[in-house]
């Protein structure tokens, strides 16, 4: 999977879970500050991403995923 | 085989209502944020009441509605994690207040899952012949353990109590309390903590949320299966009242569109072990669930512990 494909997949999840407009999702965006994803929605995003991308994202890793790019890199490395 | 059933419920909440706007004067938050993100609008906070006062008030109402008297009660069990005194326990203090003279009396602490654990334990005691008529209570005064400068926790909690009178069913009667499914996740136990001397509640919100929204629905379904009740038959689902987003997350995985889902936390906050009997008592009081209808109870929280069972509505 390319980084763009992962970003697109994350955008779909973010729209469904947190109502984020897909066009706003880009690698440089912060989940909290730019996309208004709160800590519990972030958990929902992570759980949905595990299912969608077939990866494991443990609890202690979630706090390191500050930006969309962080999540893309983590998923890319795991898949 | 002898089983047991709930014959009456009762609840007590302090009269003092604390709004989100009042909380917003203590910490950086807002009514809108708490409503949207947690689902709570008001909570009740005790003034002078102790855990025992609230427990006894709830139990007294349940007993009054049960058709039994204090002399009939041979077991009192209180689920609580916020009783300050180590001894005497809350159960014996409640018994003294209600004039129950010689019951088995003990407290049980599995934090927010406590009521379902206590109900299961009482059901087992009745099945074993150790009791015939019991009072099961969930009672909490979380305000004593709340750090009113910590906005991640102080917006959540409330005080209150709920109680059920449980009585033995005859050999030819259907049982009213299904088999309990219980367990815990000890390795992640410190995700919710009330540790040390004069402690405050602390929690890892993300860890708890993830566990609750992913791991619990299969266990709740297991409780239905063990009771021989299809999820589509449930009249109501009364989970621990932690957070509307946790409740919604569990409900999404249960496929129970016909069931009433208790959301008493909107007006009561998270009252830990008191939340299930409080919500259930109110549902029954408002006659929202017909007598005899199956209701799924599911408690979860500190420990990380969980317990649930299907009961028949009194």
């Amino acid at each position: 999977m390319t980084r763009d494909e992962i970003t697109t997949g994350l955008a779909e999840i973010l729209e469904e879970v947190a109502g984020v407009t897909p066009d706003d999702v880009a690698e440089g965006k912060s989940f909290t500050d730019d996309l208004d994803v709160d800590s519990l929605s972030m958990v929902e995003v992570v759980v949905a991403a595990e299912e969608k991308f077939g990866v494991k994202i443990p609890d202690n890793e979630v706090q390191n995923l500050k930006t969309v790019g962080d999540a893309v890199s983590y998923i890319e490395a795991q898949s | 085989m002898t089983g047991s059933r709930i014959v009456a419920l009762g609840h007590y909440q302090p009269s003092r209502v604390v709004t989100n706007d009042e909380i917003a004067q203590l910490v950086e938050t807002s009514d809108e944020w708490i409503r949207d993100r947690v689902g709570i609008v008001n909570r009740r906070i005790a003034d002078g009441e102790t855990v025992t006062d609230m427990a006894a008030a709830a139990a007294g109402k349940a007993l009054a509605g049960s058709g039994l008297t204090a002399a009939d009660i041979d077991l009192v069990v209180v689920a609580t994690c916020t009783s300050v005194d180590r001894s005497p326990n809350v159960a014996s203090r409640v018994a003294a207040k209600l004039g129950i003279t010689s019951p088995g009396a003990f407290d049980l602490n599995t934090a927010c899952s406590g009521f379902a654990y206590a109900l299961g334990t009482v059901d087992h005691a009745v099945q074993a012949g150790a009791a015939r008529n019991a009072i099961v209570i969930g009672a909490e005064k979380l305000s004593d353990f709340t750090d009113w400068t910590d906005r991640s926790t102080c917006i959540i909690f409330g005080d209150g109590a709920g109680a059920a009178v449980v009585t033995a069913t005859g050999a030819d009667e259907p049982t009213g309390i299904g088999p309990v499914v219980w367990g815990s996740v000890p390795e992640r136990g410190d995700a919710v903590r009330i540790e040390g001397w004069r402690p405050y509640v602390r929690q890892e919100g993300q860890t708890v949320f993830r566990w609750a929204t992913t791991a619990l629905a299969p266990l709740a379904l297991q409780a239905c299966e063990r009771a021989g009740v299809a999820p589509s038959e449930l009249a109501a689902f009364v989970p621990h009242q932690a957070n509307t987003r946790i409740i919604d997350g569990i409900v999404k995985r249960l496929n129970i569109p016909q069931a009433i889902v208790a959301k008493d936390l909107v007006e009561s906050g998270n009252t830990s072990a008191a939340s299930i009997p409080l919500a259930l008592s109110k549902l029954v009081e408002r006659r929202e669930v017909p007598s005899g209808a199956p209701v799924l109870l599911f408690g979860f929280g500190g420990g990380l512990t969980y317990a649930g069972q299907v009961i028949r509505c009194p």
Side-chain angles (χ1 to χ4, degrees):
Chain A
M1 243 183 172
T2 66
R3 292 185 72 89
D4 278 352
E5 286 168 338
I6 297 171
T7 305
T8 304
L10 281 173
E12 288 166 8
I13 291 171
L14 284 160
E15 184 180 22
E16 190 188 328
V17 168
V20 175
T21 307
D23 288 348
D24 291 346
V25 179
E27 290 208 17
K29 294 285 180 72
S30 156
F31 288 110
T32 315
D33 300 334
D34 299 323
L35 303 178
D36 197 26
V37 176
D38 71 20
S39 65
L40 299 189
S41 292
M42 192 62 203
V43 173
E44 294 180 288
V45 169
V46 163
V47 169
E50 284 191 339
E51 286 173 18
K52 193 176 195 105
F53 300 109
V55 296
K56 284 276 170 233
I57 310 174
D59 285 348
N60 56 12
E61 199 60 51
V62 177
Q63 62 204 19
N64 299 329
L65 308 179
K66 306 277 188 216
T67 66
V68 174
D70 293 341
V72 172
S73 297
Y74 187 86
I75 292 164
E76 190 181 32
Q78 294 288 310
S79 54
Chain B
M1 194 180 79
T2 299
S4 69
R5 66 189 173 99
I6 296 174
V7 287
L9 293 150
H11 62 271
Y12 174 86
Q13 291 184 282
S15 57
R16 185 175 155 215
V17 176
V18 174
T19 64
N20 289 341
D21 287 335
E22 285 176 72
I23 304 274
Q25 291 169 7
L26 302 173
V27 291
E28 180 68 38
T29 189
S30 70
D31 177 46
E32 187 193 2
W33 196 94
I34 300 172
R35 281 177 196 245
D36 287 356
R37 311 290 170 120
V38 188
I40 295 168
V41 175
N42 293 312
R43 72 284 292 140
R44 301 295 186 95
I45 299 293
D47 270 324
E49 300 101 323
T50 63
V51 172
T52 296
D53 293 334
M54 295 188 283
K61 288 179 193 167
L63 184 59
S66 70
L68 299 171
T69 68
D72 298 315
I73 302 299
D74 51 16
L75 179 61
V76 179
V77 180
V78 178
T80 184
C81 64
T82 52
S83 168
V84 174
D85 297 335
R86 312 307 303 168
S87 186
N89 60 26
V90 179
S92 62
R93 283 181 165 160
V94 168
K97 274 182 177 263
L98 298 183
I100 302 167
T101 52
S102 56
F106 65 92
D107 293 358
L108 174 158
N109 177 3
T110 60
C112 302
S113 63
F115 184 79
Y117 263 90
L119 190 62
T121 301
V122 163
D123 178 48
H124 300 164
V126 172
Q127 286 182 33
R132 282 199 63 79
N133 299 302
I135 301 183
V136 192
I137 306 163
E140 302 280 15
K141 189 178 178 185
L142 281 146
S143 58
D144 277 347
F145 296 86
T146 300
D147 177 355
W148 295 100
T149 66
D150 174 11
R151 70 170 178 175
S152 73
T153 56
C154 78
I155 61 172
I156 299 171
F157 298 113
D159 301 331
V165 173
V166 172
T167 189
T169 50
D172 51 349
E173 281 179 88
T175 186
I177 297 178
V180 66
V181 170
W182 61 22
S184 62
V185 190
E187 66 176 5
R188 278 184 282 164
D190 59 4
V192 185
R193 308 179 296 282
I194 313 179
E195 289 177 329
W197 191 246
R198 297 192 63 80
Y200 291 131
V201 182
R202 304 288 184 204
Q203 68 172 354
E204 314 304 329
Q206 287 186 318
T207 300
V208 177
F209 183 77
R210 183 173 186 168
W211 169 68
T213 54
T214 58
L216 299 184
L219 296 161
L221 292 172
Q222 204 179 317
C224 294
E225 194 184 328
R226 294 211 54 205
V229 172
S232 60
E233 296 172 65
L234 291 172
F237 174 45
V238 184
H240 168 51
Q241 303 286 298
N243 176 319
T244 49
R245 291 161 74 185
I246 288 180
I247 295 173
D248 291 341
I250 297 172
V251 167
K252 201 166 68 179
R253 292 168 188 251
L254 293 181
N255 195 20
I256 49 167
Q258 81 292 346
I260 293 169
V261 176
K263 288 197 176 165
D264 180 53
L265 83 162
V266 174
E267 294 299 330
S268 300
N270 173 345
T271 58
S272 186
S275 79
I276 289 176
L278 195 53
L280 179 63
S281 178
K282 290 183 183 179
L283 279 182
V284 172
E285 188 178 73
R286 293 196 300 262
R287 301 179 194 279
E288 288 185 32
V289 184
S291 179
V295 176
L296 173 62
L297 311 182
F298 204 87
F300 53 90
L304 297 167
T305 62
Y306 59 83
Q309 61 271 91
V310 174
I311 61 129
R312 295 282 166 177
C313 193

